[in-house]
Amino acid sequence: MFVDHVKVFVKGGDGGNGIVAFRREKYIAYGGPSGGDGGKGANVVFIVDEGLRTLMDFRYQRHFKAPRGEHGGSKNMHGRSADDMVVKVPPGTVVTSAEDGRVIADLVEHGQTAVIAKGGRGGRGNSRFVSPQNPAPELSEMGEPGSELEIVLELKVLADAGLVGFPSVGKSTLLSVVSAAKPKIADYHFTTLVPNLGMVEIEDGRGFALADLPGLIEGAHAGIGLGHQFLRHIERTRVILHVIDMSGLEGRDPYEDYVTINEELEQYNMRLLERPQIIVANKMDMPDSEDNLELFKEQLGDSEALIFPISALTRKGLDALLFSVADLLEVTPEFPLYEIKDDEEVSVLYKYEGDDADFKITREDDGAFVLSGYTLERLFKMTDFNFDASIRKFARQMRGMGIDDALRERGAKDGDTVRILEFEFEFLE
Ligand SMILES: Nc1nc2c(ncn2[C@@H]2O[C@H](COP(=O)(O)OP(=O)(O)OP(=O)(O)O)[C@@H](O)[C@H]2O)c(=O)[nH]1
Ligand SMILES: [Mg+2]
């Protein structure tokens, strides 16, 4: 099964909790604070494995939750940090945010890694809150929650050149005679259901990777036929081989075919038409092909166009075509698909977006004020409500964020209910 598009959920591990503890030693009446920090939660890391060819494994596992860090211990013992959760992906995997489509990582080379969801840091134990004013704080933090997000994985095969054209024009046949690939070939439409890759080696020692794609028809960009879903695989190719059936045996006009496919490429966007194209006039072994080719050239009216008459079936004209592809590849730069910022920026970007960094106040039917927002919820989750000092610290942080004032503005009165996540407390003036 070939799977090239999946949506999955990833969550970095939460940090371990810091704890409140005090030394109890034989000859020391009042030991100092000794609560250790929690360990760091694990990141979810993707790594490219060249042994993988599809995203099939993700069909069966769609949730990736990394383990949390260990909690701190007494005697200032730090909790152990959790080991990263490493997930293998095939080369050519593009990771985007399901929410807004932003690209998080483009994983191409074997061994390449990217942090997709960051683990939270460990909460600090009470020995870290010691100050001259408070030598024995009853205050510690819970671990920071790991970031969580829904992502889309798309596989975009890594080929230098891609074969496009109507169904049954001979794309797979061509791939099969210039490489060791064994794609399915038949005289009905949509024989090829998934992209095939072949390595082409030419006589002068040069070589390139060639992809055979499922046939396109008018409206493919809008999902007709096998749809544009496979066009994503041309996105990385630098040169497009536009295969046209010159025999006219199916009753279509070769020039119209040519125009239709180019329109589909244009509609698909991704600037596919900016890529150099080589026109492969196939099935030249058939009786009407010569005449059709002459007519095609007239209609095209472009003397610069690279047109190679071949017969994939009888293997005629292949060398000239392959040399030309290799030449063109040499002068065609890589097409940058995405610009990716470095890991740190990416994970911060994806953890909390825009207004989430702030807080939001909504009213519920029962009159309660509901507070939400990433920063606030994060602070909340890191507060250990078993200790008054922690609660007071959280109250101070909320005030610092302007939440008290905002609540008052929204009409909150002494004794009103305020909710954060599943907890509630009273608003006190
Ligand atoms: N006469 C002739 N027939 C060819 C040639 N190349 C391919 N064919 C035939 O055309 C039919 C379709 O070939 P495929 O290679 O499966 O075509 P395709 O473009 O991959 O088709 P889809 O995968 O359906 O998009 C088969 O019956 C081939 O034998 C050629 O050069 N000459
Ligand atoms: Mg095919």
Side-chain angles (χ1 to χ4, degrees):
M1 200 196 316
F2 184 85
V3 177
D4 60 1
H5 187 272
V6 286
K7 195 166 164 183
V8 299
F9 172 81
V10 287
K11 182 181 183 314
D14 298 339
N17 300 336
I19 67 157
V20 171
F22 295 94
R23 279 195 299 274
R24 298 270 173 265
E25 282 168 29
K26 215 168 177 183
Y27 303 107
I28 304 174
Y30 299 102
S34 65
D37 300 348
K40 207 183 128 7
N43 298 318
V44 178
V45 176
F46 282 7
I47 185 167
V48 178
D49 183 333
E50 63 193 4
L52 295 177
R53 282 277 161 267
T54 88
L55 296 168
M56 189 168 70
D57 296 348
F58 291 91
R59 293 272 289 231
Y60 307 105
Q61 192 183 354
R62 289 176 186 265
H63 278 74
F64 294 87
K65 288 187 179 177
R68 71 171 307 153
E70 265 178 25
H71 301 320
S74 55
K75 298 182 190 162
N76 286 323
M77 295 257 284
H78 283 227
R80 237 174 56 86
S81 293
D83 293 333
D84 284 348
M85 178 179 210
V86 179
V87 180
K88 291 177 182 169
V89 297
T93 303
V94 181
V95 183
T96 51
S97 151
E99 199 178 317
D100 56 15
R102 275 184 293 180
V103 177
I104 298 169
D106 185 11
L107 293 155
V108 177
E109 267 158 49
H110 183 67
Q112 187 187 343
T113 60
V115 175
I116 304 298
K118 282 193 95 176
R121 70 165 172 83
R124 287 170 291 178
N126 70 330
S127 46
R128 301 266 298 248
F129 292 97
V130 172
S131 65
Q133 292 78 25
N134 191 356
E138 275 195 312
L139 171 65
S140 65
E141 286 171 335
M142 311 283 265
E144 181 190 30
S147 65
E148 51 179 84
L149 66 164
E150 270 206 299
I151 54 171
V152 173
L153 306 188
E154 276 179 291
L155 182 60
K156 301 186 180 189
V157 298
L158 298 162
D160 301 303
L163 294 159
V164 300
F166 267 83
S168 294
V169 296
K171 301 179 296 297
S172 300
T173 309
L174 176 54
L175 181 73
S176 75
V177 296
V178 300
S179 77
K182 302 255 172 299
K184 191 171 169 201
I185 294 164
D187 59 2
Y188 54 84
H189 287 189
F190 302 119
T191 309
T192 302
L193 298 173
V194 302
N196 297 295
L197 264 186
M199 290 306 299
V200 180
E201 279 170 37
I202 53 181
E203 278 170 13
D204 62 7
R206 289 182 298 172
F208 55 89
L210 181 63
D212 164 34
L213 300 172
L216 297 171
I217 54 174
E218 187 169 357
H221 74 275
I224 297 177
L226 287 178
H228 74 294
Q229 46 168 329
F230 291 108
L231 279 174
R232 75 167 67 101
H233 297 292
I234 336 176
E235 285 179 27
R236 290 192 201 274
T237 63
R238 281 180 290 151
V239 170
I240 290 176
L241 302 192
H242 192 150
V243 185
I244 296 171
D245 177 352
M246 281 295 160
S247 74
L249 272 185
E250 292 204 27
R252 291 192 316 265
D253 174 51
Y255 182 70
E256 268 174 33
D257 277 11
Y258 173 75
V259 173
T260 305
I261 296 294
N262 276 342
E263 274 167 8
E264 291 307 318
L265 297 182
E266 187 170 18
Q267 295 283 354
Y268 181 73
N269 232 328
M270 284 311 293
R271 298 154 69 193
L272 291 184
L273 270 193
E274 286 174 32
R275 265 151 253 218
Q277 246 190 44
I278 292 179
I279 299 171
V280 182
N282 192 28
K283 307 201 185 179
M284 291 308 292
D285 55 285
M286 298 303 282
D288 293 336
S289 297
E290 283 299 342
D291 291 347
N292 288 338
L293 178 60
E294 280 319 304
L295 185 62
F296 177 86
K297 283 180 176 166
E298 272 172 38
Q299 288 167 307
L300 191 65
D302 175 2
S303 54
E304 306 274 282
L306 291 167
I307 306 180
F308 288 86
I310 67 158
S311 166
L313 197 69
T314 64
R315 306 184 180 214
K316 289 251 166 61
L318 301 180
D319 286 348
L321 170 65
L322 299 183
F323 273 109
S324 164
V325 176
D327 288 348
L328 203 50
L329 281 170
E330 271 174 16
V331 297
T332 310
E334 293 270 342
F335 210 84
L337 271 192
Y338 313 104
E339 277 178 42
I340 312 280
K341 313 222 169 62
D342 66 57
D343 276 348
E344 197 58 37
E345 262 181 86
V346 165
S347 50
V348 170
L349 211 64
Y350 286 92
K351 215 151 71 168
Y352 18 96
E353 351 222 295
D355 38 0
D356 270 355
D358 248 326
F359 60 89
K360 223 168 57 195
I361 303 178
T362 48
R363 278 314 271 282
E364 254 167 33
D365 292 344
D366 61 358
F369 294 85
V370 179
L371 298 174
S372 58
Y374 179 81
T375 310
L376 175 68
E377 285 169 16
R378 174 174 169 278
L379 285 177
F380 175 82
K381 286 178 184 164
M382 293 180 74
T383 301
D384 185 345
F385 287 91
N386 292 311
F387 296 99
D388 287 344
S390 305
I391 300 173
R392 280 199 301 276
K393 182 174 174 228
F394 180 60
R396 267 200 312 280
Q397 287 166 324
M398 289 216 295
R399 215 173 305 129
M401 287 174 72
I403 291 177
D404 289 24
D405 290 342
L407 278 170
R408 234 173 257 124
E409 240 166 65
R410 287 286 298 256
K413 302 258 169 345
D414 210 41
D416 281 349
T417 305
V418 178
R419 227 168 256 150
I420 302 175
L421 297 172
E422 62 272 32
F423 295 85
E424 42 185 59
F425 49 91
E426 271 178 29
F427 184 70
L428 298 175
E429 276 298 345

